[in-house]
Amino acid sequence: MYLWKLPGVQRLTRRPRIDGLWEVTLKPTDESHIPPEGNRGPLRAYLVVSQSFWTAHVRQVTAESSSRSRAFFWERDGVADVDTLAFVYANEPRSGVEHRSRMHLGTCRIDVVNLKPTDMSGVYFTDRYTKGDMELRLIDRSRGHATFQAAEKHAAASLASSRSDR
């Protein structure tokens, strides 16, 4: 059901629309337990969000791993007029980095300040004792990107296309 995405209906339901491809910068804190040969960041990633009114599924891809959300909830702070998407995820590293980056679980919170954001921010923490900040920028509403390389290629083409439209 896509009626909730219509501007008038969306204002009534107050459900932010965040589906699509997002470019992400992950900034681990200094306290994060990252192995000496690990990347202390900032790290580049892409978030692919599939969304209906009732559900949200988040997939993150980096050059070294991919994550999939397992459970989520929306929270609304009526005072600050901010919606928050919080989710639990499972991360699986690529085989070449498993020696220093084991499979892990984590939690993420993304703050959404309007109904059709183009930028968002958030925080994450994992059961590997890593945590940090996230900055997100909307690329477009596409979702069919299975790998970091595919998302990066699409983002570069989208950026080139938007520059030529000016």
Side-chain angles (χ1 to χ4, degrees):
M1 178 148 193
Y2 293 98
L3 289 176
W4 70 273
K5 292 181 182 178
L6 297 173
V9 177
Q10 189 179 25
R11 279 192 296 279
L12 289 173
T13 63
R14 291 285 313 149
R15 175 72 73 221
R17 183 175 179 194
I18 62 167
D19 59 311
L21 178 64
W22 295 82
E23 182 178 53
V24 181
T25 302
L26 302 167
K27 299 174 185 170
T29 64
D30 291 339
E31 297 83 27
S32 291
H33 293 214
I34 298 172
E37 67 275 8
N39 189 342
R40 293 206 147 272
L43 304 166
R44 292 183 51 238
Y46 291 95
L47 221 61
V48 180
V49 180
S50 300
Q51 179 187 14
S52 73
F53 182 77
W54 301 107
T55 65
H57 182 267
V58 180
R59 194 165 39 85
Q60 179 174 281
V61 290
T62 71
E64 295 186 352
S65 69
S66 64
S67 302
R68 297 182 191 285
S69 62
R70 299 296 186 216
F72 80 96
F73 68 92
W74 282 104
E75 180 180 32
R76 177 144 176 79
D77 180 348
V79 176
D81 206 26
V82 173
D83 290 280
T84 300
L85 175 66
F87 58 93
V88 175
Y89 63 88
N91 178 279
E92 295 182 28
R94 295 178 67 144
S95 59
V97 297
E98 283 180 312
H99 66 283
R100 65 173 165 77
S101 180
R102 64 180 168 83
M103 185 155 81
H104 62 278
L105 300 175
T107 302
C108 181
R109 186 192 81 222
I110 299 173
D111 294 327
V112 185
V113 296
N114 61 46
L115 294 177
K116 290 187 181 177
T118 56
D119 294 288
M120 300 186 295
S121 63
V123 296
Y124 69 92
F125 65 90
T126 74
D127 64 352
R128 297 185 309 177
Y129 304 108
T130 58
K131 64 181 180 175
D133 298 316
M134 303 172 64
E135 297 295 327
L136 299 90
R137 182 181 63 85
L138 180 65
I139 301 297
D140 60 26
R141 299 291 179 190
S142 64
R143 298 187 310 264
H145 313 287
T147 65
F148 177 81
Q149 291 78 12
E152 189 170 52
K153 182 178 177 181
H154 179 83
S158 180
L159 180 61
S161 175
S162 69
R163 284 184 180 158
S164 68
D165 290 343
R166 292 181 189 166

